[in-house]
């Protein structure tokens, strides 16, 4: 077992460059202040990790599609549990909140696997929408960031290498 991967020792330049590209992209996203909630921002940080370390698995279908599934699942359970008749009950009880969080994660995992849009960070998008409260700003921000990452990946696909 090695502390540092042998592949890094053979080609450190590609690891450094791709990590720096991730830094630049995340700086741009946060500088534009398109992400109003940190829990959503962390899901997009996870997406950036996948784009810049495993670009072959970060297909547009999975990257954008996964976040769309996360948005739909999070929105469904936010509106089901935090508005309407259940809204008052959920506001007063931890159990219903936890149930809403868990159901959003479970449904998101299920929907991503059956639609071939598996993208692990998108589960955080679903959870974040339920936990942080739904808003059109969150939905648009997640979509804009996911599409931006997909475009960057597509434009740089010939230069990005799988690092794992």
């Amino acid at each position: 077992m090695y502390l540092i991967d042998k592949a890094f020792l053979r080609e450190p330049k590609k690891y450094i460059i791709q990590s720096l590209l991730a830094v630049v992209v995340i700086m741009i996203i946060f500088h534009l202040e398109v992400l109003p909630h940190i829990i959503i921002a962390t899901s997009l940080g996870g997406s950036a990790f996948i784009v810049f370390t495993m670009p072959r698995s970060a297909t547009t279908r999975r990257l954008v599609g996964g976040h769309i599934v996360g948005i739909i699942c999070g929105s469904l359970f936010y509106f089901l549990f935090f508005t309407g008749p259940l809204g008052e009950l959920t506001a007063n009880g931890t159990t219903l909140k936890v149930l809403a969080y868990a159901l959003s994660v479970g449904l998101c995992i299920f929907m991503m696997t059956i639609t071939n849009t598996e993208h692990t960070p998108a589960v955080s998008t679903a959870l974040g929408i339920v936990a942080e409260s739904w808003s059109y700003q969150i939905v648009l921000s997640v979509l804009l960031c996911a599409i931006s990452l997909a475009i960057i990946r597509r434009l740089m696909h010939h230069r990005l290498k799988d690092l794992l």
Side-chain angles (χ1 to χ4, degrees):
M1 184 168 120
Y2 297 95
L3 181 61
I4 296 177
D5 190 348
K6 288 182 181 181
F8 169 76
L9 297 174
R10 283 190 301 272
E11 298 181 79
K13 185 177 175 181
K14 72 179 181 182
Y15 286 77
I16 294 167
I17 289 171
Q18 286 180 217
S19 296
L20 290 174
L21 284 170
V23 169
V24 170
V25 168
I26 294 299
M27 283 180 62
I28 291 168
I29 288 171
F30 278 99
H31 183 70
L32 296 174
E33 298 181 19
V34 295
L35 295 169
H37 298 284
I38 196 65
I39 195 164
I40 300 296
T42 58
S43 75
L44 291 162
S47 293
F49 172 81
I50 291 172
V51 166
F52 291 104
T53 60
M54 301 177 287
R56 284 188 177 80
S57 22
T59 64
T60 301
R61 177 184 182 97
R62 288 184 172 173
L63 182 63
V64 176
H67 281 291
I68 289 171
V69 169
I71 288 167
I72 291 168
C73 294
S75 298
L76 172 69
F77 289 104
Y78 173 77
F79 287 113
L80 184 63
F81 280 85
F82 293 91
T83 64
L86 279 179
E88 286 183 36
L89 291 173
T90 304
N92 297 325
T94 303
T95 303
L96 285 178
K97 287 179 187 175
V98 170
L99 180 61
Y101 302 159
L103 287 171
S104 72
V105 169
L107 182 63
C108 187
I109 291 168
F110 176 73
M111 294 304 297
M112 283 192 301
T113 57
I114 68 169
T115 60
N116 197 28
T117 55
E118 300 92 340
H119 186 67
T120 309
V123 176
S124 296
T125 296
L127 179 59
I129 287 174
V130 176
E132 292 282 335
S133 297
W134 186 95
S135 77
Y136 73 90
Q137 186 180 14
I138 288 174
V139 170
L140 292 176
S141 296
V142 169
L143 287 175
L144 176 66
C145 292
I147 291 168
S148 298
L149 284 168
I151 290 169
I152 290 165
R153 182 208 162 268
R154 179 143 330 218
L155 291 173
M156 301 190 73
H157 78 277
H158 61 285
R159 297 208 183 263
L160 297 175
K161 307 289 184 214
D162 280 347
L163 302 177
L164 299 177

mmCIF file of all heavy atoms in Angstrom, residues 17-51:
data_model
loop_
_atom_site.group_PDB
_atom_site.id
_atom_site.type_symbol
_atom_site.label_atom_id
_atom_site.label_comp_id
_atom_site.label_asym_id
_atom_site.label_seq_id
_atom_site.Cartn_x
_atom_site.Cartn_y
_atom_site.Cartn_z
ATOM 1 N N ILE A 17 -2.860 20.118 -12.995
ATOM 2 C CA ILE A 17 -3.625 20.964 -13.914
ATOM 3 C C ILE A 17 -5.128 20.764 -13.745
ATOM 4 O O ILE A 17 -5.887 21.727 -13.658
ATOM 5 C CB ILE A 17 -3.193 20.710 -15.381
ATOM 6 C CG1 ILE A 17 -1.792 21.287 -15.592
ATOM 7 C CG2 ILE A 17 -4.188 21.323 -16.370
ATOM 8 C CD1 ILE A 17 -1.157 20.922 -16.924
ATOM 9 N N GLN A 18 -5.578 19.524 -13.672
ATOM 10 C CA GLN A 18 -7.010 19.277 -13.530
ATOM 11 C C GLN A 18 -7.537 19.755 -12.187
ATOM 12 O O GLN A 18 -8.655 20.257 -12.097
ATOM 13 C CB GLN A 18 -7.322 17.795 -13.782
ATOM 14 C CG GLN A 18 -7.238 17.451 -15.253
ATOM 15 C CD GLN A 18 -7.531 16.006 -15.590
ATOM 16 O OE1 GLN A 18 -6.891 15.485 -16.471
ATOM 17 N NE2 GLN A 18 -8.478 15.369 -14.941
ATOM 18 N N SER A 19 -6.735 19.666 -11.143
ATOM 19 C CA SER A 19 -7.159 20.185 -9.836
ATOM 20 C C SER A 19 -7.251 21.706 -9.884
ATOM 21 O O SER A 19 -8.190 22.296 -9.331
ATOM 22 C CB SER A 19 -6.172 19.747 -8.749
ATOM 23 O OG SER A 19 -6.192 18.348 -8.616
ATOM 24 N N LEU A 20 -6.318 22.345 -10.553
ATOM 25 C CA LEU A 20 -6.356 23.803 -10.683
ATOM 26 C C LEU A 20 -7.540 24.258 -11.540
ATOM 27 O O LEU A 20 -8.149 25.290 -11.253
ATOM 28 C CB LEU A 20 -5.039 24.331 -11.256
ATOM 29 C CG LEU A 20 -3.842 24.229 -10.310
ATOM 30 C CD1 LEU A 20 -2.557 24.644 -11.027
ATOM 31 C CD2 LEU A 20 -4.057 25.066 -9.057
ATOM 32 N N LEU A 21 -7.878 23.492 -12.557
ATOM 33 C CA LEU A 21 -9.068 23.810 -13.354
ATOM 34 C C LEU A 21 -10.325 23.767 -12.487
ATOM 35 O O LEU A 21 -11.199 24.627 -12.618
ATOM 36 C CB LEU A 21 -9.203 22.830 -14.521
ATOM 37 C CG LEU A 21 -8.259 23.044 -15.694
ATOM 38 C CD1 LEU A 21 -8.329 21.863 -16.656
ATOM 39 C CD2 LEU A 21 -8.600 24.334 -16.418
ATOM 40 N N ALA A 22 -10.412 22.782 -11.615
ATOM 41 C CA ALA A 22 -11.553 22.697 -10.697
ATOM 42 C C ALA A 22 -11.605 23.928 -9.797
ATOM 43 O O ALA A 22 -12.680 24.481 -9.554
ATOM 44 C CB ALA A 22 -11.473 21.421 -9.867
ATOM 45 N N VAL A 23 -10.443 24.378 -9.323
ATOM 46 C CA VAL A 23 -10.382 25.576 -8.477
ATOM 47 C C VAL A 23 -10.937 26.779 -9.239
ATOM 48 O O VAL A 23 -11.761 27.541 -8.725
ATOM 49 C CB VAL A 23 -8.935 25.848 -8.013
ATOM 50 C CG1 VAL A 23 -8.809 27.226 -7.376
ATOM 51 C CG2 VAL A 23 -8.471 24.773 -7.043
ATOM 52 N N VAL A 24 -10.504 26.951 -10.476
ATOM 53 C CA VAL A 24 -10.952 28.091 -11.286
ATOM 54 C C VAL A 24 -12.463 28.041 -11.509
ATOM 55 O O VAL A 24 -13.159 29.044 -11.333
ATOM 56 C CB VAL A 24 -10.189 28.131 -12.635
ATOM 57 C CG1 VAL A 24 -10.805 29.147 -13.589
ATOM 58 C CG2 VAL A 24 -8.718 28.426 -12.398
ATOM 59 N N VAL A 25 -12.974 26.885 -11.874
ATOM 60 C CA VAL A 25 -14.415 26.752 -12.134
ATOM 61 C C VAL A 25 -15.221 27.044 -10.871
ATOM 62 O O VAL A 25 -16.205 27.794 -10.914
ATOM 63 C CB VAL A 25 -14.741 25.348 -12.693
ATOM 64 C CG1 VAL A 25 -16.240 25.095 -12.696
ATOM 65 C CG2 VAL A 25 -14.162 25.197 -14.088
ATOM 66 N N ILE A 26 -14.830 26.482 -9.754
ATOM 67 C CA ILE A 26 -15.557 26.725 -8.506
ATOM 68 C C ILE A 26 -15.453 28.194 -8.087
ATOM 69 O O ILE A 26 -16.431 28.790 -7.617
ATOM 70 C CB ILE A 26 -15.056 25.774 -7.388
ATOM 71 C CG1 ILE A 26 -15.414 24.319 -7.732
ATOM 72 C CG2 ILE A 26 -15.621 26.164 -6.029
ATOM 73 C CD1 ILE A 26 -16.909 24.046 -7.864
ATOM 74 N N MET A 27 -14.287 28.805 -8.289
ATOM 75 C CA MET A 27 -14.148 30.232 -7.972
ATOM 76 C C MET A 27 -15.105 31.075 -8.809
ATOM 77 O O MET A 27 -15.735 32.006 -8.303
ATOM 78 C CB MET A 27 -12.704 30.696 -8.184
ATOM 79 C CG MET A 27 -11.768 30.276 -7.074
ATOM 80 S SD MET A 27 -10.075 30.838 -7.346
ATOM 81 C CE MET A 27 -10.274 32.608 -7.360
ATOM 82 N N ILE A 28 -15.212 30.754 -10.085
ATOM 83 C CA ILE A 28 -16.125 31.500 -10.956
ATOM 84 C C ILE A 28 -17.561 31.324 -10.489
ATOM 85 O O ILE A 28 -18.309 32.300 -10.370
ATOM 86 C CB ILE A 28 -15.954 31.056 -12.424
ATOM 87 C CG1 ILE A 28 -14.591 31.524 -12.955
ATOM 88 C CG2 ILE A 28 -17.090 31.590 -13.297
ATOM 89 C CD1 ILE A 28 -14.187 30.906 -14.282
ATOM 90 N N ILE A 29 -17.945 30.097 -10.199
ATOM 91 C CA ILE A 29 -19.316 29.827 -9.760
ATOM 92 C C ILE A 29 -19.631 30.597 -8.477
ATOM 93 O O ILE A 29 -20.662 31.258 -8.371
ATOM 94 C CB ILE A 29 -19.548 28.310 -9.586
ATOM 95 C CG1 ILE A 29 -19.596 27.629 -10.951
ATOM 96 C CG2 ILE A 29 -20.829 28.038 -8.799
ATOM 97 C CD1 ILE A 29 -19.594 26.110 -10.899
ATOM 98 N N PHE A 30 -18.734 30.551 -7.510
ATOM 99 C CA PHE A 30 -19.001 31.251 -6.245
ATOM 100 C C PHE A 30 -18.875 32.765 -6.391
ATOM 101 O O PHE A 30 -19.593 33.505 -5.724
ATOM 102 C CB PHE A 30 -18.084 30.736 -5.132
ATOM 103 C CG PHE A 30 -18.588 29.472 -4.512
ATOM 104 C CD1 PHE A 30 -18.085 28.247 -4.898
ATOM 105 C CD2 PHE A 30 -19.580 29.505 -3.555
ATOM 106 C CE1 PHE A 30 -18.554 27.071 -4.343
ATOM 107 C CE2 PHE A 30 -20.063 28.339 -2.990
ATOM 108 C CZ PHE A 30 -19.555 27.129 -3.385
ATOM 109 N N HIS A 31 -18.002 33.202 -7.257
ATOM 110 C CA HIS A 31 -17.854 34.647 -7.465
ATOM 111 C C HIS A 31 -19.127 35.243 -8.067
ATOM 112 O O HIS A 31 -19.502 36.367 -7.749
ATOM 113 C CB HIS A 31 -16.652 34.942 -8.363
ATOM 114 C CG HIS A 31 -16.410 36.401 -8.543
ATOM 115 N ND1 HIS A 31 -15.951 37.202 -7.522
ATOM 116 C CD2 HIS A 31 -16.589 37.205 -9.609
ATOM 117 C CE1 HIS A 31 -15.853 38.445 -7.961
ATOM 118 N NE2 HIS A 31 -16.238 38.469 -9.223
ATOM 119 N N LEU A 32 -19.788 34.493 -8.918
ATOM 120 C CA LEU A 32 -21.031 34.965 -9.520
ATOM 121 C C LEU A 32 -22.190 34.920 -8.530
ATOM 122 O O LEU A 32 -23.274 35.408 -8.825
ATOM 123 C CB LEU A 32 -21.366 34.132 -10.758
ATOM 124 C CG LEU A 32 -20.366 34.240 -11.909
ATOM 125 C CD1 LEU A 32 -20.722 33.264 -13.015
ATOM 126 C CD2 LEU A 32 -20.302 35.667 -12.434
ATOM 127 N N GLU A 33 -21.961 34.307 -7.378
ATOM 128 C CA GLU A 33 -22.957 34.221 -6.316
ATOM 129 C C GLU A 33 -24.283 33.652 -6.801
ATOM 130 O O GLU A 33 -25.358 34.139 -6.467
ATOM 131 C CB GLU A 33 -23.156 35.577 -5.647
ATOM 132 C CG GLU A 33 -21.897 36.080 -4.974
ATOM 133 C CD GLU A 33 -22.088 37.410 -4.274
ATOM 134 O OE1 GLU A 33 -23.227 37.799 -3.995
ATOM 135 O OE2 GLU A 33 -21.060 38.051 -4.016
ATOM 136 N N VAL A 34 -24.186 32.586 -7.604
ATOM 137 C CA VAL A 34 -25.408 31.962 -8.093
ATOM 138 C C VAL A 34 -25.931 30.903 -7.137
ATOM 139 O O VAL A 34 -27.025 30.387 -7.329
ATOM 140 C CB VAL A 34 -25.212 31.335 -9.500
ATOM 141 C CG1 VAL A 34 -24.923 32.404 -10.523
ATOM 142 C CG2 VAL A 34 -24.132 30.279 -9.484
ATOM 143 N N LEU A 35 -25.157 30.583 -6.119
ATOM 144 C CA LEU A 35 -25.580 29.529 -5.201
ATOM 145 C C LEU A 35 -25.975 30.127 -3.855
ATOM 146 O O LEU A 35 -25.135 30.519 -3.070
ATOM 147 C CB LEU A 35 -24.459 28.510 -5.009
ATOM 148 C CG LEU A 35 -24.119 27.750 -6.293
ATOM 149 C CD1 LEU A 35 -22.844 26.974 -6.109
ATOM 150 C CD2 LEU A 35 -25.249 26.852 -6.689
ATOM 151 N N PRO A 36 -27.267 30.179 -3.581
ATOM 152 C CA PRO A 36 -27.722 30.830 -2.358
ATOM 153 C C PRO A 36 -27.569 29.976 -1.096
ATOM 154 O O PRO A 36 -27.604 30.493 -0.003
ATOM 155 C CB PRO A 36 -29.200 31.098 -2.645
ATOM 156 C CG PRO A 36 -29.589 30.029 -3.612
ATOM 157 C CD PRO A 36 -28.359 29.756 -4.434
ATOM 158 N N HIS A 37 -27.416 28.685 -1.239
ATOM 159 C CA HIS A 37 -27.369 27.816 -0.069
ATOM 160 C C HIS A 37 -26.155 26.903 -0.128
ATOM 161 O O HIS A 37 -25.899 26.253 -1.134
ATOM 162 C CB HIS A 37 -28.650 26.970 0.026
ATOM 163 C CG HIS A 37 -29.880 27.808 0.185
ATOM 164 N ND1 HIS A 37 -30.206 28.404 1.377
ATOM 165 C CD2 HIS A 37 -30.829 28.169 -0.693
ATOM 166 C CE1 HIS A 37 -31.320 29.084 1.231
ATOM 167 N NE2 HIS A 37 -31.715 28.973 -0.017
ATOM 168 N N ILE A 38 -25.443 26.819 0.957
ATOM 169 C CA ILE A 38 -24.206 26.056 0.998
ATOM 170 C C ILE A 38 -24.421 24.564 0.762
ATOM 171 O O ILE A 38 -23.584 23.900 0.144
ATOM 172 C CB ILE A 38 -23.426 26.321 2.314
ATOM 173 C CG1 ILE A 38 -21.980 25.847 2.192
ATOM 174 C CG2 ILE A 38 -24.095 25.680 3.500
ATOM 175 C CD1 ILE A 38 -21.164 26.596 1.197
ATOM 176 N N ILE A 39 -25.548 24.019 1.213
ATOM 177 C CA ILE A 39 -25.769 22.581 1.024
ATOM 178 C C ILE A 39 -25.894 22.241 -0.462
ATOM 179 O O ILE A 39 -25.450 21.199 -0.918
ATOM 180 C CB ILE A 39 -26.986 22.079 1.828
ATOM 181 C CG1 ILE A 39 -26.979 20.557 1.924
ATOM 182 C CG2 ILE A 39 -28.281 22.575 1.253
ATOM 183 C CD1 ILE A 39 -27.895 20.004 2.998
ATOM 184 N N ILE A 40 -26.450 23.147 -1.246
ATOM 185 C CA ILE A 40 -26.526 22.949 -2.691
ATOM 186 C C ILE A 40 -25.144 23.140 -3.303
ATOM 187 O O ILE A 40 -24.730 22.399 -4.197
ATOM 188 C CB ILE A 40 -27.549 23.919 -3.325
ATOM 189 C CG1 ILE A 40 -28.950 23.714 -2.739
ATOM 190 C CG2 ILE A 40 -27.554 23.782 -4.835
ATOM 191 C CD1 ILE A 40 -29.576 22.368 -2.995
ATOM 192 N N ALA A 41 -24.407 24.122 -2.808
ATOM 193 C CA ALA A 41 -23.059 24.368 -3.318
ATOM 194 C C ALA A 41 -22.161 23.155 -3.129
ATOM 195 O O ALA A 41 -21.337 22.838 -3.993
ATOM 196 C CB ALA A 41 -22.455 25.594 -2.630
ATOM 197 N N THR A 42 -22.327 22.453 -2.029
ATOM 198 C CA THR A 42 -21.491 21.280 -1.796
ATOM 199 C C THR A 42 -21.794 20.169 -2.795
ATOM 200 O O THR A 42 -20.890 19.435 -3.201
ATOM 201 C CB THR A 42 -21.640 20.751 -0.353
ATOM 202 O OG1 THR A 42 -23.007 20.441 -0.102
ATOM 203 C CG2 THR A 42 -21.136 21.757 0.655
ATOM 204 N N SER A 43 -23.042 20.046 -3.223
ATOM 205 C CA SER A 43 -23.355 19.023 -4.228
ATOM 206 C C SER A 43 -22.669 19.358 -5.545
ATOM 207 O O SER A 43 -22.187 18.466 -6.244
ATOM 208 C CB SER A 43 -24.865 18.863 -4.409
ATOM 209 O OG SER A 43 -25.429 19.921 -5.137
ATOM 210 N N LEU A 44 -22.590 20.636 -5.865
ATOM 211 C CA LEU A 44 -21.923 21.022 -7.108
ATOM 212 C C LEU A 44 -20.406 20.916 -6.977
ATOM 213 O O LEU A 44 -19.721 20.660 -7.968
ATOM 214 C CB LEU A 44 -22.377 22.406 -7.524
ATOM 215 C CG LEU A 44 -23.844 22.369 -7.962
ATOM 216 C CD1 LEU A 44 -24.461 23.748 -7.964
ATOM 217 C CD2 LEU A 44 -24.002 21.704 -9.309
ATOM 218 N N GLY A 45 -19.884 21.057 -5.769
ATOM 219 C CA GLY A 45 -18.463 20.779 -5.549
ATOM 220 C C GLY A 45 -18.161 19.317 -5.819
ATOM 221 O O GLY A 45 -17.136 18.974 -6.423
ATOM 222 N N GLY A 46 -19.069 18.437 -5.414
ATOM 223 C CA GLY A 46 -18.922 17.014 -5.710
ATOM 224 C C GLY A 46 -18.976 16.747 -7.210
ATOM 225 O O GLY A 46 -18.245 15.907 -7.735
ATOM 226 N N SER A 47 -19.832 17.485 -7.908
ATOM 227 C CA SER A 47 -19.902 17.343 -9.366
ATOM 228 C C SER A 47 -18.592 17.779 -10.008
ATOM 229 O O SER A 47 -18.104 17.129 -10.940
ATOM 230 C CB SER A 47 -21.055 18.183 -9.926
ATOM 231 O OG SER A 47 -22.290 17.678 -9.502
ATOM 232 N N ALA A 48 -18.023 18.865 -9.508
ATOM 233 C CA ALA A 48 -16.733 19.337 -10.042
ATOM 234 C C ALA A 48 -15.653 18.277 -9.815
ATOM 235 O O ALA A 48 -14.815 18.035 -10.691
ATOM 236 C CB ALA A 48 -16.340 20.658 -9.389
ATOM 237 N N PHE A 49 -15.687 17.625 -8.661
ATOM 238 C CA PHE A 49 -14.724 16.552 -8.393
ATOM 239 C C PHE A 49 -14.823 15.470 -9.466
ATOM 240 O O PHE A 49 -13.818 15.035 -10.026
ATOM 241 C CB PHE A 49 -14.971 15.948 -7.005
ATOM 242 C CG PHE A 49 -14.152 14.715 -6.744
ATOM 243 C CD1 PHE A 49 -12.830 14.825 -6.341
ATOM 244 C CD2 PHE A 49 -14.692 13.448 -6.943
ATOM 245 C CE1 PHE A 49 -12.055 13.686 -6.123
ATOM 246 C CE2 PHE A 49 -13.929 12.309 -6.723
ATOM 247 C CZ PHE A 49 -12.601 12.427 -6.312
ATOM 248 N N ILE A 50 -16.037 15.048 -9.765
ATOM 249 C CA ILE A 50 -16.217 13.986 -10.755
ATOM 250 C C ILE A 50 -15.792 14.453 -12.145
ATOM 251 O O ILE A 50 -15.109 13.733 -12.871
ATOM 252 C CB ILE A 50 -17.672 13.474 -10.740
ATOM 253 C CG1 ILE A 50 -17.924 12.731 -9.419
ATOM 254 C CG2 ILE A 50 -17.956 12.573 -11.930
ATOM 255 C CD1 ILE A 50 -19.351 12.342 -9.172
ATOM 256 N N VAL A 51 -16.162 15.678 -12.521
ATOM 257 C CA VAL A 51 -15.795 16.198 -13.841
ATOM 258 C C VAL A 51 -14.277 16.246 -14.014
ATOM 259 O O VAL A 51 -13.755 15.897 -15.072
ATOM 260 C CB VAL A 51 -16.405 17.600 -14.075
ATOM 261 C CG1 VAL A 51 -15.777 18.306 -15.268
ATOM 262 C CG2 VAL A 51 -17.917 17.487 -14.255
#
